[in-house]
Amino acid sequence: MLRQAVEVKAKVTALALFLKYGLPALVVSGAIFGLMFVILFSADSLFNSKQHPDSIGGGTVIGVSAEVLQYQGLVESLAAEYGVAEYSGVILAMMMQESGGRGNDPMQSSESLCGSIGCIQSPEASIEQGVKYFAQTLEKAEGDVRLAVQAYNFGLGFIPYALERGGYSKENAIDFSIKQYERVRHTGNYSCIRPESAATGACYGDISYVDAVFSYYNYEQGTIVAGGGSFVTPVNGMRMTSDFGYRTHPITGEQRMHNGIDFGCINYVTPINAVTDGHVVFSGSQGGYGNMVILKHAPDLYTAYAHNSSNTVKTGDQVRAGQQIGVCGSTGASTGPHLHLEFRSTQHGGHQDPKPFLGL
């Protein structure tokens, strides 16, 4: 009996010690573990959001499904591998149009690989073939992104057809579709996927493919307040690629003054916008500047926008801040698509560093 009483007393004492010291320690440990879990989870989410933003170089992806975004990292990696890193967002937009990111062939690239539907059975293989094929179309399209995108849908045969007729246009896409449909309609494998296609007989492929793909782009401009005034960004993203000042000229190799700053953009696609309200005093082509627009904002303030693939305003027009005045290009003395932006005190000189005006 004495032994049992001692054992009972020992157990009671142990229980009391656990309730006094052990249980609070476990509660505190559990709380710390839970807090660490929340912190790590939040950090992981933040890291991933920073690693895979929905930005696509010259614009921002909008309306793209979660199924598409799950492949963003893979698309970016493959785009870099095949030399089209700046077009990874275009590829994501194409995937959205092709499949919404669903299925084993989200880029619908089987036909480009083996000539028939269904030969690709894994998303990874589909995406790699799609990126590789897009890179091929872009090269053959001589950098015309819209032509490359439409050729992804129509096939490579559309590229020489369009180039012989001045490049990509909706009219060229319709004409090509009509001619191709006349050749293949007897197979019964093609149908008019849009009402306007049925009306014209343009039932080969999707004549509105370019419009559909770029409907997943948003080029809204942010506003920057600097220098006592309000300026909007001339290109979405403000990715500056060359500074104001003396530099080694990329073509001649000489040390020369660079009278503006350059921004990366997508050839034939990215809109070029007026940085503030102004009056168009020049819209045309000018030597090494290529296609250029010059705006007058005040008696001693002008801006110039050079190397455009096309200008969308004419001399004499009044423009508002953020209004599109051209499209990104590589005309004139240019080694690749970009906007060359100058701030001037006169129409033809008095160059100033644009960065203070833009808050850069």
Side-chain angles (χ1 to χ4, degrees):
M1 292 293 292
L2 180 60
R3 181 179 178 184
Q4 289 178 343
V6 171
E7 289 178 352
V8 169
K9 185 176 181 179
K11 290 178 180 179
V12 170
T13 301
L15 178 61
L17 290 172
F18 172 76
L19 292 174
K20 184 175 182 179
Y21 299 107
L23 184 59
L26 287 175
V27 171
V28 172
S29 298
I32 292 173
F33 178 82
L35 181 61
M36 291 178 63
F37 177 83
V38 170
I39 292 172
L40 289 172
F41 179 81
S42 300
D44 181 67
S45 298
L46 180 62
F47 175 80
N48 285 331
S49 67
K50 289 183 177 179
Q51 286 291 97
H52 301 294
D54 296 344
S55 63
I56 54 175
T60 304
V61 174
I62 56 172
V64 173
S65 67
E67 288 85 354
V68 167
L69 290 179
Q70 71 178 317
Y71 297 120
Q72 184 168 354
L74 177 60
V75 167
E76 291 172 350
S77 175
L78 289 169
E81 179 181 340
Y82 286 100
V84 290
E86 64 269 39
Y87 301 104
S88 59
V90 176
I91 297 166
L92 286 170
M94 290 166 62
M95 186 192 302
M96 183 64 191
Q97 178 59 24
E98 290 288 346
S99 70
R102 296 180 292 272
N104 291 330
D105 190 3
M107 286 299 295
Q108 300 291 293
S109 53
S110 288
E111 283 189 275
S112 67
L113 178 65
C114 58
S116 61
I117 297 172
C119 69
I120 291 179
Q121 290 298 316
S122 81
E124 293 75 17
S126 171
I127 293 169
E128 180 166 10
Q129 173 60 21
V131 172
K132 179 181 178 181
Y133 186 59
F134 173 74
Q136 292 173 353
T137 65
L138 187 64
E139 181 180 3
K140 292 181 182 297
E142 301 177 359
D144 186 333
V145 180
R146 295 175 302 165
L147 178 54
V149 168
Q150 187 64 65
Y152 188 92
N153 177 257
F154 276 168
L156 294 176
F158 177 60
I159 294 176
Y161 180 90
L163 289 176
E164 290 172 1
R165 292 160 177 80
Y168 172 81
S169 70
K170 186 70 170 291
E171 292 73 21
N172 285 341
I174 292 172
D175 291 342
F176 181 82
S177 178
I178 291 172
K179 289 180 172 60
Q180 291 297 102
Y181 185 61
E182 289 174 352
R183 292 177 55 250
V184 300
R185 66 185 304 172
H186 68 279
T187 65
N189 295 328
Y190 298 84
S191 60
C192 299
I193 64 175
R194 297 183 185 273
E196 61 267 31
S197 297
T200 61
C203 300
Y204 178 87
D206 182 357
I207 59 173
S208 295
Y209 188 74
V210 169
D211 295 336
V213 167
F214 286 104
S215 71
Y216 299 110
Y217 264 52
N218 178 22
Y219 288 107
E220 290 184 359
Q221 302 300 304
T223 300
I224 298 175
V225 178
S230 180
F231 294 88
V232 302
T233 60
V235 291
N236 185 276
M238 294 290 284
R239 181 170 60 88
M240 194 175 75
T241 57
S242 188
D243 205 348
F244 179 86
Y246 279 94
R247 66 169 188 174
T248 301
H249 194 276
I251 296 177
T252 66
E254 302 171 342
Q255 283 292 311
R256 290 172 55 180
M257 181 66 182
H258 187 230
N259 289 322
I261 56 177
D262 296 342
F263 296 99
C265 53
I266 300 179
N267 203 13
Y268 295 98
V269 172
T270 307
I272 305 301
N273 304 284
V275 296
T276 192
D277 298 354
H279 175 76
V280 181
V281 294
F282 178 82
S283 177
S285 181
Q286 189 177 107
Y289 284 107
N291 293 328
M292 181 170 68
V293 173
I294 302 176
L295 304 180
K296 181 179 181 179
H297 308 288
D300 59 352
L301 181 61
Y302 295 76
T303 54
Y305 311 76
H307 304 307
N308 307 328
S309 62
S310 62
N311 300 335
T312 57
V313 293
K314 62 183 183 299
T315 301
D317 285 350
Q318 295 288 335
V319 298
R320 304 290 294 178
Q323 179 179 333
Q324 183 176 347
I325 59 175
V327 181
C328 173
S330 187
T331 57
S334 170
T335 58
H338 70 285
L339 166 67
H340 173 79
L341 174 69
E342 293 184 358
F343 275 69
R344 305 171 173 180
S345 59
T346 68
Q347 181 171 339
H348 301 292
H351 297 94
Q352 306 172 59
D353 188 349
K355 296 196 298 299
F357 292 91
L358 299 176
L360 297 177

